[in-house]
Amino acid sequence: MSCSRQNDEPITALAAGELSPLAAWRLRRHLAGCAQCRTRHEQTRQIWTGLRGMASAPVPKSLQGRVRGQWPPLPLKKGMDPMKRRMALLTCALLLVGITAAMAARVLTYHPSGGFGHAGQMWSYTTNLKGRMTVLDAQGRKIGQFTNDGAFMTDAAGPNTAWVKLTAAGQERVLRGPGRHEVKDAKGALLGYVVFSDVSEAEMYRGMGWPRAPRDFAEAAQWAEAEDPAAGGGASGVTTSVTGVRGFDRALGVSWKMRGYGTVKATRPNGEPVAEGRTQPVTPEMQALLPPGFVPDPAGPPQWTLTVQGKTVQETGYGRHVLQGGDGKPLLILEATPPASK
Amino acid sequence: MLFFEERRFRAKIQAGDHATFDALFERHAAQVLGFLLPLTGSRAEAEDLVQDVFLAAYHSHATFGGRVKPVSWLLGIAVRRWRDDGRRGRLDILALDDDQTAGECEGGFPRQAALADQILDAVTLSQALSTLATPFREALLLVASQGFTYREAAGILGEPVGTVKWRVSEASRRMRGLLTAGEEEKDELQPAK
């Protein structure tokens, strides 16, 4: 009797151990009852056992000698050891994540801050204000101003809801909301005020423009006006532009501008020198260094603008000018001399 | 521990470390040779190929994925070298080990009606194997001799699993036909002339 199962695949799969337990059991059950298949299975098993015995062969010494220790040098080591490279990559990835997180945190919590000194006191602040913050001293004179357009801030707020963390006289305080905030020291003495205000975008950006040197005296004067010491701004001393000198002494409430060429010496009535400034006609070398379009003043007697404690006086010419205070007493003596002759 | 040691070993293979390749040769040369001897049918050729395989492996150390077994990787290279070198055309040469080439096989295979209780010797098996076309011999050697699963063998040969399965079965049937007195066998598996 001939078996209908002529396909060798199940028998081979059994020998290869690739049959599922159920299929193997079924096949074995068939083999038990089918002499023909049993013979085929037995023959296959014999062949496979024989083949299994050939799986490896002793490696002759000559072959070992040809291969072992005969590795040629590698042409060029590309990169580093894979393990080290993996570690390095991992470190880089972690660093990148860390830096990104730190930057994100920085950006997400960014609040502009700044500070200035006035009358021996340090004022510093951090705020989320989008607008303008003006700092006034106890007498109501402006001593500082801060304008912010809210860039990079996630919680920028207008003057009505903004906060400012202010440190003045060594004490930190938080000021919130609209109005004029009084700032007092630990003993309750008034240090000044902070005022929040809206500011138009145009004004904000005008104020933020890069500072540039004035192009002529008129502009220099305008520029000086912006920091008029009478309004509490600017610094004491002398500023010279190419064709003019200006100076002030905030303690005395005196300021002056001289448009023209020459030397100005400021002294106190007791002869104590305060400041000295000098201008001279523009030489071709200087002209080359100046911005294009700069129009120097013609040489001639200087014109003065003197401001004494809020009152303005115009004068002309070189010589000695005495600035008097409201009580008629001299405050400052200005002496102007023409530039040295060529 | 073993797992980590093996990982380190594989990483060192990837790095092309000389000592590791010595160890790799130590571990697997016998198996690679055992695979190549019946595949090529020639000891000289098999030994040359073993040398080629390890050198090729060394030069392409960076391509070792680390996920396959090192021996599978080596045998994969062996198969490709063997095929690329165009050596498969020489299959019909019945070259056996010099010391094993005996006259007893002259005039055909020692056919037996039943193989029961008899271990087939390597000479007879090698002779029978040499009559199989290369794809069948490769598949049969990997599965029956080297003990790889169909899937692993398919990976080494770069063939679909189903194809490998069928080739193993057909090669096995053919071997059975050659080594017994069966008349049922056909000759379609002989190497192309």
Side-chain angles (χ1 to χ4, degrees):
Chain A
M1 194 185 94
S2 178
C3 178
S4 59
R5 301 191 183 195
Q6 288 303 312
N7 187 357
D8 258 34
E9 245 176 63
I11 286 172
T12 316
L14 183 67
E18 296 262 2
L19 278 189
S20 69
L22 181 64
W25 174 78
R26 278 191 185 143
L27 182 58
R28 285 188 200 286
R29 199 179 55 175
H30 170 75
L31 292 176
C34 174
Q36 200 183 353
C37 284
R38 197 162 55 243
T39 309
R40 284 199 297 157
H41 170 249
E42 187 50 34
Q43 289 168 343
T44 303
R45 200 186 58 76
Q46 293 274 336
I47 291 165
W48 281 52
T49 307
L51 287 173
R52 195 79 190 97
M54 296 163 62
S56 65
V59 182
K61 285 246 171 346
S62 59
L63 178 56
Q64 291 189 26
R66 268 154 62 192
V67 181
R68 292 197 51 188
Q70 300 299 313
W71 312 109
L74 290 171
L76 186 72
K77 185 107 175 169
K78 280 185 200 153
M80 53 176 108
D81 174 80
M83 280 299 243
K84 278 189 196 158
R85 191 174 53 209
R86 224 167 285 162
M87 287 306 292
L89 274 174
L90 192 70
T91 313
C92 283
L94 284 175
L95 263 174
L96 200 68
V97 169
I99 290 168
T100 312
M103 280 170 68
R106 178 83 183 86
V107 168
L108 290 176
T109 62
Y110 169 72
H111 292 122
S113 58
F116 60 91
H118 173 71
Q121 297 279 13
M122 274 305 296
W123 296 64
S124 62
Y125 58 87
T126 304
T127 182
N128 71 342
L129 173 68
K130 181 185 178 183
R132 180 165 286 171
M133 177 174 87
T134 309
V135 184
L136 309 169
D137 67 7
Q139 285 74 46
R141 288 178 300 190
K142 188 172 87 178
I143 55 173
Q145 179 174 288
F146 160 80
T147 310
N148 179 42
D149 65 352
F152 303 114
M153 287 164 65
T154 51
D155 63 343
N160 287 336
T161 50
W163 51 259
V164 57
K165 279 179 196 155
L166 181 76
T167 306
Q171 272 204 313
E172 191 182 300
R173 67 226 359 109
V174 180
L175 312 174
R176 285 177 198 280
R180 183 174 157 124
H181 301 275
E182 282 189 356
V183 180
K184 292 179 178 172
D185 69 7
K187 291 175 186 163
L190 186 67
L191 291 172
Y193 305 92
V194 173
V195 182
F196 296 169
S197 58
D198 256 324
V199 57
S200 74
E201 210 144 272
E203 194 186 344
M204 193 184 308
Y205 289 114
R206 191 166 59 238
M208 284 176 164
W210 288 104
R212 70 184 172 87
R215 285 169 188 269
D216 55 32
F217 190 86
E219 204 181 345
Q222 208 177 13
W223 183 63
E225 205 90 66
E227 293 186 20
D228 191 341
S236 296
V238 169
T239 307
T240 61
S241 74
V242 175
T243 58
V245 186
R246 75 186 184 92
F248 46 81
D249 190 325
R250 195 186 295 123
L252 297 172
V254 171
S255 75
W256 72 92
K257 293 175 206 161
M258 184 191 81
R259 178 179 181 169
Y261 299 110
T263 305
V264 184
K265 274 183 188 167
T267 45
R268 295 241 157 90
N270 60 6
E272 183 190 343
V274 175
E276 185 175 331
R278 187 165 64 87
T279 61
Q280 60 185 30
V282 176
T283 62
E285 292 80 26
M286 282 166 67
Q287 183 77 55
L289 298 172
L290 290 166
F294 181 91
V295 185
D297 270 2
Q303 294 176 7
W304 293 84
T305 305
L306 308 168
T307 308
V308 186
Q309 292 180 345
K311 277 185 280 180
T312 300
V313 188
Q314 300 280 346
E315 285 194 35
T316 307
Y318 296 110
R320 191 179 158 97
H321 302 269
V322 179
L323 303 182
Q324 291 172 328
D327 53 6
K329 284 184 185 168
L331 288 171
L332 203 66
I333 299 147
L334 295 165
E335 216 165 352
T337 48
S341 55
K342 293 163 207 168
Chain B
M1 276 318 278
L2 267 177
F3 171 76
F4 288 112
E5 256 168 48
E6 184 62 24
R7 277 194 64 137
R8 206 167 303 135
F9 183 71
R10 291 179 181 200
K12 281 184 176 176
I13 292 178
Q14 270 185 330
D17 177 63
H18 286 187
T20 307
F21 269 83
D22 277 345
L24 192 70
F25 184 81
E26 193 85 17
R27 277 194 202 179
H28 299 303
Q31 196 175 346
V32 177
L33 185 61
F35 172 68
L36 286 171
L37 269 177
L39 186 65
T40 60
S42 154
R43 174 164 281 275
E45 201 167 350
E47 286 185 8
D48 281 352
L49 260 178
V50 170
Q51 185 179 358
D52 279 2
V53 166
F54 278 90
L55 271 177
Y58 171 73
H59 281 299
S60 57
H61 58 88
T63 65
F64 175 59
R67 290 217 175 87
V68 295
K69 294 180 198 165
V71 70
S72 301
W73 177 56
L74 290 169
L75 290 181
I77 294 173
V79 167
R80 285 193 297 279
R81 299 294 292 190
W82 160 251
R83 289 175 180 175
D84 293 350
D85 288 2
R87 301 184 205 210
R88 61 165 122 181
R90 291 188 245 159
L91 285 183
D92 25 11
I93 301 163
L94 258 184
L96 297 166
D97 292 358
D98 296 340
D99 53 340
Q100 286 177 328
T101 317
E104 71 223 34
C105 296
E106 296 280 323
F109 301 103
R111 292 174 185 255
Q112 291 132 9
L115 293 169
D117 302 328
Q118 188 185 335
I119 300 297
L120 284 166
D121 64 282
V123 180
T124 316
L125 280 171
S126 298
Q127 280 181 314
L129 277 167
S130 70
T131 67
L132 299 179
T134 304
F136 294 92
R137 196 166 43 202
E138 288 169 350
L140 184 66
L141 282 172
L142 285 175
V143 176
S145 177
Q146 300 296 331
F148 287 104
T149 63
Y150 288 148
R151 185 170 294 279
E152 288 170 329
I156 292 169
L157 294 169
E159 310 271 9
V161 177
T163 306
V164 170
K165 188 174 169 184
W166 178 77
R167 283 182 187 167
V168 171
S169 163
E170 281 302 291
S172 179
R173 187 179 66 81
R174 165 78 185 159
M175 289 285 282
R176 203 162 51 73
L178 284 170
L179 295 167
T180 66
E183 283 89 36
E184 44 175 332
E185 315 304 338
K186 296 168 218 151
D187 285 333
E188 78 268 29
L189 302 186
Q190 280 191 343
K193 294 284 170 189

